Amino acid sequence: MSNVIAGDDKNKVATFGWAARDDSGILSPFHFNRRGNGDNDITLDILFCGICHTDLHFVKNDFGMSFYPMVPGHEIVGKVTKVGSKVTKFSVGDIAGVGGSVGSCGSCSNCSEGFYVYCPKMILTYSARYHDGTTTQGGYSDKLVVDQNFAVLIPKSMPLAGTAPLLCAGITVYSPLKYHGLTKPGLHLGVVGLGGLGHVAVKFAKAFGMHVTVISTSPSKKKEALERLGADAFLVSQDQQQLQDAMGTMDAIIDTVSANHSIQPLIGLLKTSGKLILVGGPASPLEVLAMPLLLGRKMIAGSAGGGREEIQEMMNFAAKHNITADVEVIPMEYVNTAFERLQKNDVKYRFVIDVANTI
């Protein structure tokens, strides 16, 4: 994977999107140029882009690392309209997907193993500095130019709106399940939180043949979890009797919640040698008692996603098992209202912008 930029500056790609100008997080129409299509690049006409909770954090500069003006969006599905002379993975007319990364150093051990998401010099799809010094801009826009090594081929059978969130939410839960060997039929997996990540985690785990328990603070989500998503059990995390009854029954738990919450009760639900895997990102430090970990040989782990090969594997698996995210498709001009609703968790389960028809 090369980090050499060979973009054609003379043929910059005029692009139109919606951008935040400051940490108010309000988006408005924005014209800008992307680099010309280089030898290793593909150019996409963007069709759909999912709205991730991270987009909301970035437009408001919650992490203190935002560049403005900022076009968010890292759950991108588009049609390939141009390929560079050295492109081998795509042809014009293919449907491609781009997730949270568009660049890396290409030479570290993580990159060599295909996990560029863990590269110290990983370049985010938006609000980051690209190799050529320009600021990356995301998928709330009509066009994208991207290195072929940071895009995946979307199987023809997949409905595109529901596929877009898999490029972030999907790989965020799929990767740790694969890495930790949590794909064996009959294993018992707990899924904490039934939101954008959690509902996809349930779908993948059930496709692997696992026994799935949804763990939630909201009793009202029980019917949804069991009857529509196919979970095997539902546990209300505030119910002490339910927690007690489930002690020591789970092989692993994947915690998708980004809000501050106690993880100590979750550790008690694990079997000996069980794993608690964090994929949400609470802002406050975690407080954990050491002894339950020591006496149960239990593990707390984290995961941020996967590389191109793993994302492609996930897409092929999703196509085979008819897995997509549950989405509410919106026009681009609705994006600020969608952010307001997202902040209130008022979406089931992912907003997706119909870019092609509304921008």
Side-chain angles (χ1 to χ4, degrees), residues 157-210:
S157 63
M158 299 192 75
L160 300 185
T163 295
L166 298 184
L167 292 154
C168 175
I171 192 60
T172 297
V173 297
Y174 182 90
S175 182
L177 292 178
K178 292 285 289 188
Y179 179 80
H180 291 284
L182 301 172
T183 60
K184 299 175 183 177
L187 289 179
H188 187 179
L189 179 73
V191 176
V192 183
L194 197 62
L197 295 176
H199 90 286
V200 176
V202 172
K203 293 185 179 187
F204 277 119
K206 290 303 299 178
F208 286 131
M210 301 178 76

Side-chain angles (χ1 to χ4, degrees), residues 14-62:
T15 306
F16 177 66
W18 279 52
R21 273 30 181 231
D22 53 44
D23 62 10
S24 69
I26 303 299
L27 273 63
S28 57
F30 178 59
H31 291 272
F32 64 104
N33 289 322
R34 296 195 184 273
R35 71 176 186 274
N37 199 96
D39 291 343
N40 288 299
D41 291 334
I42 60 174
T43 297
L44 306 181
D45 279 353
I46 296 176
L47 303 174
F48 294 97
C49 186
I51 297 180
C52 176
H53 210 284
T54 300
D55 298 345
L56 183 59
H57 285 304
F58 263 86
V59 297
K60 293 181 175 295
N61 198 25
D62 289 342

Side-chain angles (χ1 to χ4, degrees), residues 27-288:
L27 273 63
S28 57
F30 178 59
H31 291 272
F32 64 104
N33 289 322
R34 296 195 184 273
R35 71 176 186 274
N37 199 96
D39 291 343
N40 288 299
D41 291 334
I42 60 174
T43 297
L44 306 181
D45 279 353
I46 296 176
L47 303 174
F48 294 97
C49 186
I51 297 180
C52 176
H53 210 284
T54 300
D55 298 345
L56 183 59
H57 285 304
F58 263 86
V59 297
K60 293 181 175 295
N61 198 25
D62 289 342
F63 301 138
M65 53 188 291
S66 297
F67 297 120
Y68 299 101
M70 177 201 306
V71 178
H74 60 207
E75 298 177 347
I76 304 165
V77 171
K79 186 175 183 178
V80 178
T81 59
K82 188 173 184 178
V83 299
S85 61
K86 295 181 181 179
V87 169
T88 59
K89 297 178 173 71
F90 298 91
S91 300
V92 171
D94 285 342
I95 303 299
V98 178
S101 308
V102 293
S104 67
C105 77
S107 59
C108 69
S109 60
N110 289 317
C111 288
S112 298
E113 294 173 7
F115 288 99
Y116 54 74
V117 68
Y118 299 112
C119 172
K121 297 182 180 179
M122 183 268 291
I123 301 172
L124 297 173
T125 300
Y126 65 87
S127 197
R129 298 297 184 203
Y130 200 60
H131 299 299
D132 60 2
T134 60
T135 299
T136 58
Q137 302 287 8
Y140 296 14
S141 57
D142 60 357
K143 297 183 185 300
L144 180 70
V145 179
V146 64
D147 186 306
Q148 64 172 334
N149 291 300
F150 295 86
V152 297
L153 189 65
I154 304 299
K156 295 184 184 300
S157 63
M158 299 192 75
L160 300 185
T163 295
L166 298 184
L167 292 154
C168 175
I171 192 60
T172 297
V173 297
Y174 182 90
S175 182
L177 292 178
K178 292 285 289 188
Y179 179 80
H180 291 284
L182 301 172
T183 60
K184 299 175 183 177
L187 289 179
H188 187 179
L189 179 73
V191 176
V192 183
L194 197 62
L197 295 176
H199 90 286
V200 176
V202 172
K203 293 185 179 187
F204 277 119
K206 290 303 299 178
F208 286 131
M210 301 178 76
H211 180 92
V212 179
T213 296
V214 171
I215 305 167
S216 175
T217 58
S218 305
S220 61
K221 293 185 177 181
K222 181 176 181 178
K223 183 176 181 180
E224 176 86 2
L226 299 179
E227 297 182 9
R228 209 178 66 76
L229 295 176
D232 300 285
F234 187 89
L235 191 158
V236 179
S237 56
Q238 310 299 324
D239 188 317
Q240 295 305 309
Q241 187 59 54
Q242 289 188 29
L243 289 173
Q244 185 63 38
D245 292 344
M247 290 280 284
T249 64
M250 300 181 189
D251 295 287
I253 296 171
I254 187 163
D255 187 344
T256 70
V257 176
S258 293
N260 295 329
H261 63 290
S262 174
I263 65 170
Q264 193 64 52
L266 302 176
I267 294 170
L269 300 176
L270 294 170
K271 295 178 181 178
T272 300
S273 303
K275 301 170 182 177
L276 172 60
I277 305 164
L278 307 179
V279 295
S284 297
L286 301 174
E287 294 186 3
V288 180

